[in-house]
Amino acid sequence: MTLLDGLATSRQIKSEIAQSVESIVQSGGRPPHLAAVLVGDDGASLTYVTSKVKSCEEVGFRSTLIRKEASTSEAELLDLIAQLNANEELDGYIVQLPLPKHVDEKKVLLAIDPRKDVDGFHPENVGRMVLGLPCYLPATPGGIMELLRRYHVPTEGRHCVVIGRSHIVGLPMSILMQRNTSPGNCTVTITHSKTKGLDELCRQADIIVAALGRPEFLKGDMVKEGAVVIDVGITRVPDATKKSGFRLLGDVEFSSVSPKCSFITPVPGGVGPMTIVTLLQNTLQARLEK
Ligand code: GUN
């Protein structure tokens, strides 16, 4: 069993990005600049956004964290987005999801200039991804593809079962895995809460991407020998022995699944760090396309 070490891979990619930033700056250019908008004070979202901003500093990017009250109106948010779109000093930005209930998430995502949409959530970028045109790949699926590429995980002709159809992970992951690319060229089954016979489908899979957000859902008896397992889950579960009061659990029961795998991602240190570096790669790309 080989551990797909997202942390070590992300460090390597960050050093590659830092070198690109250095050469931009040495030739008189300004470093890439990413902004993140966080509405409200959800603990997990704050942790993710803080980590994204910190990673910018590590590679020499400029970063701006814009925090808004949970009560911020949709109109106010759309106004902020118009300002970010017009800001020439900003290469890309993200609006951290989920947004408060009174804000229409779709309206907000549609308002983002696709050229600054480094999360790859705007329909223009999603459409480009589907058609295999140059685009910003959504960060989590993009990071998983990069991890598979760097570890030379065989995918061609393999059966990939994706559990979860979210717009952020499951759906784009299913598209990327079936494309005529390497990695890619899988036969893909996308599954969700209404799927019948999920256990059996999983047992038939060469590659499983677990992205349903249910801690330790995938058990050893649902996985065949030699499978590749990608764990996208990061649920906080209360744990009084931790200083933070919680620990992170993936969607995969690592103890029973990992002995059967050819490759598996750990949680933490698997997909999470790869998500962040994909965002950095997208921001660098946005800067270079200016
Ligand atoms: N919420 C969970 N994942 C993501 C992500 O990749 N981007 C944004 N903007 N919000 C998220």
Side-chain angles (χ1 to χ4, degrees):
M1 183 268 287
T2 300
L3 211 57
L4 296 168
D5 188 340
L7 193 58
T9 309
S10 73
R11 287 196 181 120
Q12 170 63 32
I13 298 173
K14 277 185 191 168
S15 85
E16 293 162 17
I17 294 172
Q19 280 172 21
S20 302
V21 175
E22 221 173 282
S23 65
I24 293 172
V25 173
Q26 268 173 8
S27 55
R30 65 159 179 78
H33 181 190
L34 173 75
V37 179
L38 176 63
V39 186
D41 46 20
D42 174 71
S45 290
L46 180 60
T47 306
Y48 301 147
V49 171
T50 307
S51 179
K52 289 171 185 178
V53 168
K54 194 172 139 268
S55 297
C56 284
E57 285 157 21
E58 283 170 28
V59 297
F61 284 10
R62 262 191 73 193
S63 63
T64 306
L65 173 59
I66 304 167
R67 290 199 65 178
K68 293 284 191 189
E69 304 263 317
S71 58
T72 304
S73 71
E74 187 180 285
E76 237 179 299
L77 207 50
L78 291 171
D79 197 48
L80 170 63
I81 285 176
Q83 287 172 35
L84 297 174
N85 285 344
N87 185 346
E88 299 275 345
E89 299 282 293
L90 187 63
D91 301 296
Y93 66 96
I94 64 162
V95 178
Q96 188 67 22
L97 303 178
L99 288 169
K101 293 273 177 292
H102 64 274
V103 178
D104 183 345
E105 218 160 81
K106 286 199 176 77
K107 237 189 208 171
V108 170
L109 295 182
L110 277 167
I112 296 174
D113 181 341
R115 289 166 302 181
K116 290 190 174 181
D117 170 39
V118 285
D119 252 335
F121 292 167
H122 188 281
E124 183 170 323
N125 281 312
V126 178
R128 286 178 156 273
M129 175 191 66
V130 172
L131 297 174
L133 296 169
C135 64
Y136 298 118
L137 288 185
T140 301
I144 295 169
M145 296 307 277
E146 188 66 22
L147 200 54
L148 295 173
R149 183 177 302 115
R150 293 199 179 218
Y151 275 87
H152 307 288
V153 175
T155 61
E156 187 174 306
R158 305 300 203 274
H159 180 203
C160 175
V161 169
V162 178
I163 313 174
R165 58 180 160 186
S166 76
H167 291 178
I168 296 181
V169 185
L171 181 63
M173 200 59 218
S174 71
I175 307 252
L176 293 175
M177 288 301 264
Q178 60 76 46
R179 290 201 316 192
N180 185 5
T181 54
S182 179
N185 276 316
C186 284
T187 303
V188 176
T189 302
I190 183 159
T191 68
H192 46 76
S193 52
K194 305 288 188 293
T195 296
K196 291 199 169 36
L198 179 61
D199 289 26
E200 188 46 38
L201 282 168
C202 287
R203 277 190 286 274
Q204 290 167 15
D206 302 303
I207 302 168
I208 300 175
V209 179
L212 70 162
R214 264 214 254 157
E216 299 190 321
F217 172 83
L218 192 78
K219 313 278 190 214
D221 63 1
M222 295 164 72
V223 175
K224 77 173 175 190
E225 282 295 332
V228 176
V229 173
I230 307 294
D231 188 351
V232 185
I234 29 164
T235 307
R236 289 177 168 201
V237 293
D239 185 340
T241 68
K242 301 275 179 201
K243 215 168 84 190
S244 60
F246 65 85
R247 70 197 152 107
L248 294 178
L249 278 186
D251 288 351
V252 176
E253 188 181 70
F254 192 85
S255 59
S256 63
V257 173
S258 62
K260 299 178 94 174
C261 291
S262 54
F263 296 91
I264 186 168
T265 60
V267 174
V271 173
M274 293 303 295
T275 296
I276 294 184
V277 289
T278 307
L279 181 65
L280 298 178
Q281 284 175 321
N282 286 348
T283 307
L284 176 63
Q285 187 186 326
R287 172 68 187 90
L288 294 174
E289 279 167 11
K290 273 250 166 89

